[in-house]
């Protein structure tokens, strides 16, 4: 859709290694558009009218050895289905395209496409699709009515992954409804999205499951991190259960014993209490060492913080908020790092800039791109201003940042399960002069302290 004019069009994407020939025959107005060639790895736009859904069927005939594909839209009844592969052999990805006639509704277009494709679906399934097409056609434009309709849709999705059946495979209905409500959902505020958890979950699933090319802007969601139940917690729960079971068994045994045996047990219990009181000081010893172990666990010395130089930076191929950098830390190979800086810095601004980064985080992929470090950045309180920490001019590439009075060897690789990084970054701030610190101790290099233009900022 052209956002300025609200005009709709057909987008043809050629992902193949050969040019793609497109023949556009408009049957309802009896004209044929001249043949269009789409170069390899490129897309071309064809103007249209009202919105419809279509599938691409593979044509077995070839013109000069170049494979052709025909976009089926309202094919006449005389058109033979024998020169097409069966519906099972079709590309199951649905696209949004256009019929030339502005009079057709989504319902009539879908019905004509279903007939011409030769797809035979059970009547119950067709009725379900039609129900959702009616929902799409009657979806309101008014903002309040639109939100009310989404609330009702949210309830419909409470126990379903997709609109048809009990499985997880999207259908025509999912694509049609997604296409109609996308512009309304992407404009929702954060609070409104929180009230539509099932709608947002469904929208995210469909946009990642289906190939929409660039027809729809990605809806970005904040997803909570998964925290597995710790083994220690399971162990504690098991101990409590075992303890309760033992108490119940002991109580049953006590009722069967004589009064004399009870008195003996009382005396034994008294002796045990005395023994426990005498042994209390011995139990305090491990407790005294506990704070020291805790301090060691969150010491900044666990981090390998180094001075680096960004040699190259570019936009992440599949995430608008991320940038990818190649950083020189003095090793033979440049280190690739993915950072969430796209909203605050351009690739050109980062290129040839000195930064401070953690190099012993566990390598992992962020949206399918490998990241081997973490660039430390300062941020103001409401996170509207973010910038990488800046080492002084005299700092050497690859040198390790130190903290006065804190010694220790960094971990080879930080253990994500221990959440060491999360605990340490709680104590990283810039002071009122913009000097980066850990608990008030400056980030020091051979050329001086690392700084930021943002005073009293958090560092992550």
């Amino acid at each position: 859709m052209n956002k300025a004019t609200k005009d709709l069009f057909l987008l043809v994407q050629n992902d193949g290694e050969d040019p793609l020939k497109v023949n556009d025959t408009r049957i309802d107005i009896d004209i044929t558009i001249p043949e269009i060639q789409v170069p390899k790895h490129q897309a071309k736009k064809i103007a249209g009218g009202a919105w419809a859904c279509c599938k691409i069927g593979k044509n077995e005939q070839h013109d000069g050895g170049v494979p052709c594909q025909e976009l089926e839209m309202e094919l006449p009844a005389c058109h033979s289905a024998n020169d097409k592969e069966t519906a099972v052999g079709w590309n199951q990805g649905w696209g949004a395209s256009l019929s030339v006639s502005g009079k057709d509704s989504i319902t009539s277009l879908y019905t004509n496409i279903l007939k011409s494709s030769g797809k035979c679906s059970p009547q119950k399934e067709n009725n379900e699709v039609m129900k959702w097409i009616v929902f799409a056609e009657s979806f309101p434009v008014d903002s309040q009515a639109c939100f009310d309709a989404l609330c009702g849709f949210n309830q419909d999705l409470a126990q379903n992954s997709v609109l048809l059946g009990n499985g997880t495979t999207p259908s025509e209905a999912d694509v049609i409804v997604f296409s109609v409500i996308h512009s309304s959902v992407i404009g929702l505020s954060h609070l409104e999205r929180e009230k539509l958890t099932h709608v947002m979950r469904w929208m995210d699933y469909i946009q990642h499951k289906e190939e929409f090319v660039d027809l729809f802007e990605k809806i970005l969601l904040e997803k909570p991190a998964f925290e597995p139940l710790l083994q220690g917690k399971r162990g504690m729960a098991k101990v409590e259960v075992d303890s309760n079971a033992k108490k119940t068994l002991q109580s049953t045994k006590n009722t069967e014993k004589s009064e004399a045996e009870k008195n003996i047990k009382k005396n034994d219990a008294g002796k045990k209490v005395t023994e426990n009181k005498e042994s209390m000081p011995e139990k305090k010893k491990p407790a005294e060492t506990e704070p020291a172990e805790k301090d060691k666990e969150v010491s900044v010395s666990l981090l390998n913080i180094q001075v680096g130089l960004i040699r190259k930076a570019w936009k992440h191929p599949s995430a608008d908020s991320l940038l990818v950098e190649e950083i020189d830390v003095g090793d033979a190979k440049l280190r690739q790092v993915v950072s969430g800086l796209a909203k605050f810095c351009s690739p050109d601004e980062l290129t040839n800039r000195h930064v401070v980064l953690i190099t012993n985080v566990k390598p992992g992929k962020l949206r399918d791109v490998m990241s081997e470090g973490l660039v430390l950045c300062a941020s103001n309180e409401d996170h509207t201003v973010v910038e990488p920490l800046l080492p002084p001019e005299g700092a050497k590439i690859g040198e390790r940042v130190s903290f006065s009075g804190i010694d220790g060897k960094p971990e080879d690789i930080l253990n994500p399960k221990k959440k060491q990084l999360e605990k340490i970054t709680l104590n990283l701030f810039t002071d009122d002069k913009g000097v980066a610190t850990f608990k008030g101790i400056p980030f020091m290099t051979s050329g001086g302290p690392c700084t930021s233009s943002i005073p009293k900022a958090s560092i992550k």
Side-chain angles (χ1 to χ4, degrees):
M1 174 184 284
N2 185 319
K3 293 184 179 178
T5 64
K6 303 296 182 182
D7 291 335
L8 296 165
F9 54 84
L10 170 64
L11 181 69
V12 180
Q13 174 77 31
N14 181 11
D15 291 327
E17 296 299 327
D18 298 306
L20 178 67
K21 292 182 179 179
V22 179
N23 292 303
D24 184 5
T25 300
R26 313 289 177 89
I27 295 171
D28 54 343
I29 57 175
D30 196 24
I31 64 170
T32 299
I33 306 301
E35 181 180 272
I36 298 171
Q37 285 213 16
V38 183
K40 64 178 182 179
H41 304 304
Q42 293 187 29
K44 278 200 174 183
K45 180 176 73 176
I46 303 174
W51 185 92
C53 286
C54 64
K55 277 195 174 183
I56 295 178
K58 296 179 182 176
N59 193 322
E60 294 181 351
Q61 297 180 359
H62 293 67
D63 182 11
V66 180
C68 299
Q69 289 183 315
E70 183 173 333
L71 185 62
E72 290 197 48
M73 302 183 65
E74 299 188 291
L75 292 178
C78 62
H79 184 84
S80 172
N82 295 329
D83 58 359
K84 294 279 188 294
E85 294 181 7
T86 63
V88 178
W90 284 25
N91 179 346
Q92 294 301 316
W94 282 79
S97 75
L98 308 168
S99 164
V100 175
S101 172
K103 301 177 182 178
D104 292 326
S105 66
I106 300 175
T107 304
S108 62
L109 289 170
Y110 170 75
T111 304
N112 289 337
I113 293 166
L114 195 66
K115 289 178 180 178
S116 63
S117 68
K119 179 182 176 183
C120 297
S121 300
Q123 185 62 36
K124 183 179 179 182
E125 180 180 330
N126 285 339
N127 291 341
E128 284 294 309
V129 175
M130 288 300 177
K131 183 189 82 171
W132 289 113
I133 289 178
V134 171
F135 170 81
E137 287 183 325
S138 61
F139 194 77
V141 178
D142 176 71
S143 58
Q144 184 56 50
C146 170
F147 184 73
D148 292 340
L150 288 174
C151 289
F153 186 45
N154 190 66
Q155 294 178 356
D156 292 333
L157 289 169
Q159 296 182 354
N160 294 291
S161 298
V162 291
L163 298 184
L164 296 187
N166 298 320
T168 57
T169 303
S171 65
E172 304 94 311
D174 291 277
V175 176
I176 292 170
V177 175
F178 177 94
S179 305
V180 171
I181 72 173
H182 177 273
S183 60
S184 300
V185 173
I186 203 167
L188 293 174
S189 67
H190 179 71
L191 291 176
E192 288 173 327
R193 290 187 180 193
E194 286 186 340
K195 294 178 182 178
L196 301 171
T197 54
H198 301 302
V199 171
M200 300 311 299
R201 177 257 304 162
W202 175 79
M203 293 288 289
D204 187 57
Y205 180 70
I206 298 302
Q207 73 179 355
H208 285 92
K209 194 74 175 175
E210 294 298 317
E211 292 292 338
F212 289 117
V213 195
D214 295 323
L215 289 174
F216 301 103
E217 181 182 347
K218 286 284 186 182
I219 299 176
L220 302 179
L221 300 181
E222 295 181 6
K223 301 178 183 178
F226 173 70
E227 295 188 9
L229 181 65
L230 298 179
Q231 186 64 34
K233 291 183 179 179
R234 277 200 291 258
M236 289 173 63
K238 186 176 180 181
V239 168
E240 289 177 2
V241 172
D242 291 346
S243 176
N244 290 336
K246 288 180 180 178
K247 286 179 182 178
T248 304
L249 182 61
Q250 186 63 40
S251 177
T252 304
K253 287 182 178 180
N254 286 343
T255 58
E256 297 174 354
K257 293 184 183 233
S258 62
E259 193 65 33
E261 288 175 331
K262 287 182 181 180
N263 291 335
I264 292 172
K265 285 209 170 278
K266 285 180 182 179
N267 293 335
D268 291 341
K271 290 179 181 179
K272 286 181 179 179
V273 169
T274 304
E275 290 173 359
N276 287 339
K277 285 181 180 180
E278 292 174 356
S279 61
M280 283 296 285
E282 295 179 2
K283 289 186 177 181
K284 284 183 181 178
K285 288 182 181 179
E288 289 172 0
T289 61
E290 213 171 283
E293 290 295 325
K294 191 174 182 181
D295 288 342
K296 182 180 178 182
E297 184 183 356
V298 296
S299 172
V300 72
S301 63
L302 296 176
L303 305 182
N304 192 19
I305 305 176
Q306 294 180 266
V307 175
L309 174 64
I310 298 178
R311 298 290 186 183
K312 183 180 177 182
W314 64 93
K315 290 184 179 180
H316 192 289
S318 59
D320 294 336
S321 62
L322 301 179
L323 295 179
V324 186
E325 306 100 25
E326 285 186 347
I327 305 178
D328 184 357
V329 290
D331 298 333
K333 180 184 175 184
L334 296 179
R335 187 177 290 262
Q336 181 171 284
V337 177
V338 178
S339 305
L341 291 170
K343 295 181 180 178
F344 310 100
C345 306
S346 69
D348 290 340
E349 290 172 332
L350 289 179
T351 302
N352 295 323
R353 176 183 174 127
H354 285 83
V355 291
V356 179
L357 67 155
I358 302 173
T359 55
N360 63 335
V361 294
K362 187 176 181 179
K365 288 187 176 181
L366 290 176
R367 297 294 291 271
D368 298 325
V369 176
M370 181 58 69
S371 181
E372 303 169 301
L374 177 66
V375 175
L376 288 175
C377 298
S379 169
N380 64 351
E381 188 174 354
D382 58 1
H383 303 292
T384 55
V385 181
V386 178
E387 66 177 23
L389 291 182
L390 185 65
E393 289 185 5
K396 298 176 182 178
I397 293 176
E399 76 167 285
R400 188 184 175 209
V401 173
S402 62
F403 299 85
S404 179
I406 300 177
D407 298 320
K409 184 180 178 182
E411 296 274 293
D412 292 333
I413 296 293
L414 294 176
N415 187 345
K417 292 183 179 179
K418 293 182 179 180
K419 297 189 176 181
Q420 298 158 311
L421 183 60
E422 290 86 342
K423 294 174 183 178
I424 294 171
T425 52
L426 292 175
N427 299 299
L428 300 182
F429 298 94
T430 60
D431 61 17
D432 52 2
K433 295 181 181 179
V435 176
T437 69
F438 168 74
K439 293 184 178 180
I441 304 171
F443 285 50
M444 289 300 297
T445 70
S446 59
C450 301
T451 59
S452 169
S453 64
I454 311 173
K456 296 183 180 180
S458 59
I459 299 175
K460 291 185 178 179

